[in-house]
Amino acid sequence: ADITIGCMLERLSETGWLDWFAAHADIEETLAYFERIKARPAWKAAITDQAHPIVEQAKRDLRTIRIEDKALAEKIYGPVT
């Protein structure tokens, strides 16, 4: 179960949704759980060490767009509060 939840949280993190949920809901326990998963050697071997350059570029592009294109970010994430 941990790998399934961990991968889901990773996708949410990559797209900015985990930050959004953290800002709008009390998910501190979930974030701590995710940090514990990411600290495991198995996570490093299966996820971190297998990062593909195309995926890493896409993650950077998403972060940049969220910062630079406020109109698009508002359409995706809603009004900034």
Side-chain angles (χ1 to χ4, degrees):
D2 286 344
I3 195 67
T4 302
I5 298 297
C7 288
M8 180 192 68
L9 292 170
E10 180 71 6
R11 297 295 86 81
L12 289 171
S13 177
E14 290 171 348
T15 59
W17 280 107
L18 192 59
D19 292 338
W20 186 90
F21 285 118
H24 293 86
D26 181 16
I27 62 167
E28 291 304 314
E29 291 180 18
T30 301
L31 296 174
Y33 170 67
F34 186 38
E35 290 303 315
R36 289 192 304 274
I37 290 172
K38 293 190 302 182
R40 295 177 185 175
W43 180 270
K44 183 178 182 314
I47 306 299
T48 307
D49 290 350
Q50 303 304 317
H52 191 279
I54 292 173
V55 174
E56 295 306 306
Q57 182 60 50
K59 290 181 342 187
R60 285 190 298 275
D61 291 347
L62 279 171
R63 283 191 293 272
T64 300
I65 288 168
R66 282 185 17 223
I67 293 166
E68 294 178 358
D69 191 335
K70 300 296 183 191
L72 179 59
E74 188 169 312
K75 287 179 183 176
I76 295 170
Y77 302 101
V80 177
T81 56

